[in-house]
Amino acid sequence: MYVIAGATGNVGSAAARTLIKAGKPVTVIVRSEEKARQWREEGAEAAVLDLTDAPALTRLLTGAVGAFLMVPPNFSVPDYLKASRELISSLATAVKDSGVEHTVLLSSVGAQHDSGTGPIVTVNWGEQALRPVGRNLTFVRAAYFLENWAPVLPVVLEHGVLPTFLAPDTPIDTIATADIGAFVADSLLNPAQGHRIRHVAGPVQYTPQDIASALSDLLGKPVPLAPAPAEDATAAFTGMGFPQQAAELYAEMYAGIANGRVAFNDDAPIEHGTTTPQDVLAPLLRSH
C-alpha cells in the first residue's frame, strides 16, 4: 500500500492518480468525507485525518510500502512557522514509529539553506527532522511552481497586465505540479536505499517575460509585465489577507530568488519534466 498526503492538492493528486493507473494500491489522506468519497470512486482507499494527528498517521503508515508526505502551507494561522514545526514533528513521529519502508517528502529548491528563503525554510526543517528517523528517504526538491502564476490570472484577464515580484528577464527553474507528481510517483515505485535528493525542474528555465509571452499567445493579445520590487511583497500579501508573518516570509522568498539563494546547489544534477507554461496556463485561463 502507498499512502499519499495532500491528495486534494496538485502534486499529491497527480502522484496518486499515477500510482492508481499503474495498478498500485493507494490510500490517500484527505480532510473531509466528501473528498474521501471522490477518491474511492477513482479506485483509492481514503483516510480522513489531520497530518498533525501523529497517532492516527502512525497507524496509517504502519505496513505501508511507501508514503508521500508534505508540509502544506497553513495561512489561516498567525504563526505559520510554529504551525509548520508542529506538523513536521507529527510527520517525524509517525515515520519513526510506523517503520514505513520508504518516505518521499515534497521539498523545494533552496531547501539546502536554513534561512533567507522565506516559507521554504519549513521544508529544510522537514528534511532535517526526517533524516534521523526515516528508514529510506527521498527528498524531491522542486523548482518554482508554474501554478504559482494562477493567483494573478484574474489581474491578467481584467487589467491586461501580468504582475510579478520576479526580475522580468531573469530565468529561473520552474516546474508544473503534474511533473512533480510524476517524479513523486516514480520515486515511490523506485524507492531509495538510504537517503537521496532529486532536484526536479521543467524542460528549460523561464523568465517572467516568457510567461507573459505565453499568456499573450493564449489570449491573442499583448500581456505586458507589471513588475514590482520584492520589498513591496509584504504589503501586497497583507493586502490580500495574509497574516503579517506569512507576508514577510513571501517577501523574503522573492528576495532570495533575486539574490540567488533560492536556487539549486551549483553541482546538483537536475531532472527535467516535459510540461510547458502553455500546458499549465491554458486550462487555468479556461477556469476563470
Side-chain angles (χ1 to χ4, degrees):
M1 175 66 71
Y2 294 94
V3 176
I4 305 294
T8 55
N10 292 327
V11 175
S13 62
R17 290 188 175 107
T18 300
L19 292 170
I20 292 168
K21 288 178 181 177
K24 303 300 180 180
V26 173
T27 296
V28 298
I29 299 173
V30 293
R31 297 289 297 273
S32 72
E33 187 57 42
E34 178 185 359
K35 296 293 185 182
R37 285 194 299 271
Q38 294 172 3
W39 275 105
R40 289 171 187 138
E41 291 173 359
E42 293 195 43
E45 297 295 324
V48 181
L49 62 85
D50 191 307
L51 292 177
T52 60
D53 186 344
L57 184 58
T58 299
R59 289 192 294 271
L60 185 62
L61 296 185
T62 299
V65 173
F68 169 61
L69 301 177
M70 59 190 305
V71 185
N74 183 0
F75 300 124
S76 64
V77 296
D79 196 334
Y80 169 80
L81 296 178
K82 179 183 178 183
S84 296
R85 283 195 182 277
E86 292 172 350
L87 187 146
I88 290 165
S89 176
S90 175
L91 299 183
T93 297
V95 168
K96 178 182 179 181
D97 292 349
S98 69
V100 59
E101 293 182 27
H102 178 227
T103 303
V104 177
L105 177 72
L106 177 60
S107 189
S108 171
V109 59
Q112 68 271 27
H113 300 299
D114 62 5
S115 65
T117 60
I120 294 169
V121 72
T122 61
V123 289
N124 171 276
W125 298 343
E127 289 189 12
Q128 299 309 314
L130 292 185
R131 285 182 193 277
V133 299
R135 294 172 60 185
N136 299 293
L137 296 170
T138 299
F139 300 139
V140 177
R141 291 186 180 171
Y144 189 85
F145 290 11
L146 275 170
E147 281 80 359
N148 287 346
W149 293 100
V152 297
L153 291 183
V155 178
V156 173
L157 294 172
E158 184 174 353
H159 300 288
V161 298
L162 177 64
T164 182
F165 295 111
L166 300 170
D169 296 312
T170 299
I172 64 171
D173 286 299
T174 310
I175 188 170
T177 53
D179 284 345
I180 304 171
F183 283 118
V184 167
D186 178 73
S187 296
L188 289 167
L189 293 171
N190 300 283
Q193 300 301 312
H195 298 177
R196 70 178 170 189
I197 297 173
R198 299 184 70 174
H199 301 85
V200 302
V204 297
Q205 292 183 323
Y206 299 105
T207 68
Q209 185 57 61
D210 292 330
I211 304 302
S213 297
L215 287 167
S216 297
D217 291 342
L218 290 168
L219 294 172
K221 62 181 181 180
V223 178
L225 282 172
E231 53 264 30
D232 290 356
T234 299
F237 277 88
T238 54
M240 290 186 288
F242 282 66
Q244 182 70 23
Q245 184 193 72
E248 291 174 355
L249 285 168
Y250 271 98
E252 182 179 83
M253 182 191 74
Y254 284 113
I257 294 173
N259 64 32
R261 191 166 181 80
V262 177
F264 290 123
N265 297 352
D266 291 339
D267 59 347
I270 300 174
E271 301 176 76
H272 296 278
T274 59
T275 306
T276 68
Q278 287 88 341
D279 295 331
V280 172
L281 294 170
L284 289 174
L285 287 171
R286 289 195 295 270
S287 69
H288 283 83

